[in-house]
């Protein structure tokens, strides 16, 4: 498999339960708004046997189980693979929504370093920089070197490719990738796929994968058993979160159709600067908070864009996502946390 990584040395949460028969592997687009949770304080999500359960981050297992109606997670579910997703660092952004994005990025790194188990790697789901400027990439690299986790896998956001069609991004992170920077790799039985949907945006700003990347994806998946856990990560959500604001991928349904046969699929995205989760059949979709600034929830403002909040509240809108793979039941536990949550 192809590898693309960078090594440093070179709104209260809804705790509702959503269930779906794993054998019903059609991707249903109806009524998706009922299947979303806008998480303000962070949730633990566990996917296994077609069921998605959640508990409030920081609550005890018993408290979380009572809230969700689910049994407590066994103490033995320690997981064999731990990684962290970060997104939308926008290094170089200097507007009032956050005049010091470097400071909040450094806080994110400190939180990663404070995790009880050092993650094997980081996933950055795009918009590393504000303007794809070499100095902005340099600053991001310098700050990421402070993280105990040394391996980072990237996909670009539209801000990383807009000024030079991705030339600087690919020079730094394109080794071992295909096309505009897509690739796959395997970690401890989990197959990871990094997709690029920001190179030729469709009308209204929707992401586009394109025929070449979809053909590559089909070949990449062809030799895998349907029992293989799949994690797909890309910048713009692969599903239609809110097309009016360009929050979706025009041909994302074609990629999801290729993934339907797998028993456990987790799709990690950024772009919308807020934690959003939903489940459809065998697929769990998750978007991460930004480390830089929030954006409004769909339809709550005239348009998307940086959302100005009171300075003391800013860090409650920013954060990171920790993911733990539990091998015995092919589960992925996804934990959102903000920069105001207790570390650890």
């Amino acid at each position: 498999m192809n590898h693309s990584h960078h090594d440093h040395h070179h709104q209260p949460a809804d705790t509702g339960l959503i269930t779906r028969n794993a054998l019903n592997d059609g991707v249903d687009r109806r009524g998706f708004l009922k299947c979303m949770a806008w998480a303000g304080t962070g949730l633990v999500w566990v996917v296994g046997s077609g069921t998605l359960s959640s508990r409030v981050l920081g609550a005890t297992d018993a408290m979380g189980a009572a809230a969700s109606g689910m049994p407590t997670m066994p103490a033995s579910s320690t997981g064999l693979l731990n990684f962290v997703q970060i997104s939308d660092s926008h290094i170089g952004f200097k507007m009032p929504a956050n005049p010091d994005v470097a400071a909040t990025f450094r806080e994110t790194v400190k939180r990663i370093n404070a995790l009880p188990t050092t993650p094997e790697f980081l996933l950055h789901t795009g918009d590393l920089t504000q303007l794809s400027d070499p100095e902005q990439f340099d600053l991001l690299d310098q700050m990421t070197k402070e993280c105990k986790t040394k391996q980072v896998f990237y996909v670009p956001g539209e801000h990383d490719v807009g000024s030079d069609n991705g030339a600087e991004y690919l020079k730094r992170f394109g080794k071992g990738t295909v096309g505009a920077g897509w690739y796959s790799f395997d970690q401890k039985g989990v197959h990871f796929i990094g997709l690029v949907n920001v190179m030729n945006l469709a009308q209204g700003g929707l992401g586009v994968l394109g025929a070449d990347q979809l053909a590559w994806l089909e070949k990449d998946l062809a030799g895998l058993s349907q029992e293989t856990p799949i994690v797909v990560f890309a910048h713009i959500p692969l599903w239609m979160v809110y097309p009016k604001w360009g929050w979706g991928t025009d041909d994302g349904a074609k990629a999801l159709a290729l993934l339907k046969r797998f028993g456990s699929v987790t799709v990690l995205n950024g772009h919308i600067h807020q934690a959003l989760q939903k489940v459809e059949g065998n697929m769990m979709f998750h978007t991460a908070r930004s480390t830089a600034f929030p954006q409004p929830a769909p339809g709550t403002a005239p348009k998307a864009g940086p959302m100005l909040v009171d300075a003391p509240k800013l860090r409650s809108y920013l954060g990171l996502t920790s993911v733990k793979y539990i091998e015995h039941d092919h589960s992925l536990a996804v934990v959102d946390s903000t920069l105001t949550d207790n570390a650890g």
Side-chain angles (χ1 to χ4, degrees):
M1 295 299 173
N2 295 314
H3 293 253
S4 172
H5 70 272
H6 185 61
D7 189 296
H8 302 333
H9 297 302
H10 77 248
Q11 349 177 352
D14 178 357
T15 56
L17 172 67
I18 306 169
T19 60
R20 186 69 59 86
N21 186 343
L23 297 178
N24 178 15
D25 58 3
V27 179
D28 183 5
R29 292 290 176 272
R30 295 172 298 174
F32 74 89
L33 284 173
K34 297 179 182 178
C35 298
M36 298 192 303
W38 299 95
T41 57
L43 296 177
V44 179
W45 293 86
V46 179
V47 186
S49 303
T51 299
L52 180 72
S53 61
S54 65
R55 65 178 173 86
V56 177
L57 179 65
T60 65
D61 283 341
M63 289 170 59
S68 66
M70 289 293 291
T72 59
M73 289 184 288
S76 59
S77 297
T78 55
L80 295 179
L81 176 63
N82 294 276
F83 66 93
V84 167
Q85 178 195 8
I86 57 176
S87 198
D88 295 272
S89 46
H90 286 273
I91 301 304
F93 179 89
K94 296 178 180 178
M95 296 176 66
N98 185 355
D100 194 350
V101 295
T104 50
F105 186 83
R106 285 192 170 97
E107 286 186 42
T108 303
V109 168
K110 289 179 180 178
R111 294 189 64 83
I112 295 170
N113 288 341
L115 291 171
T117 301
T118 300
E120 274 92 343
F121 57 89
L122 307 181
L123 293 182
H124 194 309
T125 46
D127 278 354
L128 289 65
T129 66
Q130 180 67 11
L131 297 172
S132 63
D133 184 273
E135 292 183 358
Q136 295 173 1
F137 281 116
D138 286 343
L139 179 56
L140 176 80
D141 182 65
Q142 175 188 339
M143 292 187 295
T144 324
K145 285 179 180 177
E146 300 169 8
C147 190
K148 293 179 181 178
T149 301
K150 298 305 179 186
Q151 195 174 42
V152 187
F153 294 92
Y154 295 96
V155 287
E158 73 277 7
H159 284 263
D160 301 316
V161 303
S163 64
D164 61 358
N165 205 34
E168 184 68 25
Y169 172 87
L170 287 173
K171 183 175 75 173
R172 293 169 180 262
F173 309 118
K175 183 178 180 181
T177 68
V178 182
W182 55 85
Y183 60 100
S184 65
F185 63 95
D186 296 282
Q187 288 274 355
K188 297 185 178 179
V190 181
H191 188 65
F192 289 81
I193 304 168
L195 298 178
V196 178
N197 55 1
V198 297
M199 294 302 296
N200 298 290
L201 299 181
Q203 186 174 3
L206 290 172
V208 175
L209 294 166
D212 290 347
Q213 188 169 193
L214 288 167
W216 170 86
L217 177 63
E218 185 173 13
K219 291 179 181 178
D220 182 74
L221 296 171
L224 298 177
S225 162
Q226 65 182 13
E227 303 299 323
T228 304
I230 306 291
V231 175
V232 180
F233 58 106
H235 180 63
I236 298 174
L238 290 182
W239 55 290
M240 290 296 182
V241 176
Y242 198 62
K244 183 178 180 180
W245 286 356
W247 287 4
T249 298
D250 192 50
D251 51 0
K254 295 179 180 179
L256 298 178
L258 295 173
L259 295 161
K260 284 197 305 186
R261 70 180 180 90
F262 294 94
S264 173
V265 179
T266 303
V267 181
L268 303 176
N269 301 121
H271 188 58
I272 71 172
H273 294 221
Q274 54 204 279
L276 179 158
Q277 300 91 3
K278 74 160 185 166
V279 65
E280 289 187 346
N282 57 336
M283 297 185 187
M284 185 185 73
F285 299 83
H286 181 278
T287 63
R289 289 182 178 87
S290 167
T291 68
F293 55 84
Q295 293 200 66
T300 62
K303 62 181 181 179
M307 185 172 73
L308 186 63
V309 297
D310 292 340
K313 296 181 179 179
L314 173 62
R315 281 158 179 77
S316 68
Y317 287 88
L318 310 179
L320 56 98
T321 303
S322 301
V323 184
K324 180 183 296 182
Y325 172 55
I326 303 169
E327 186 178 42
H328 66 81
D329 59 1
H330 287 188
S331 294
L332 284 169
V334 181
V335 181
D336 279 303
S337 58
T338 73
L339 296 187
T340 58
D341 292 326
N342 291 330

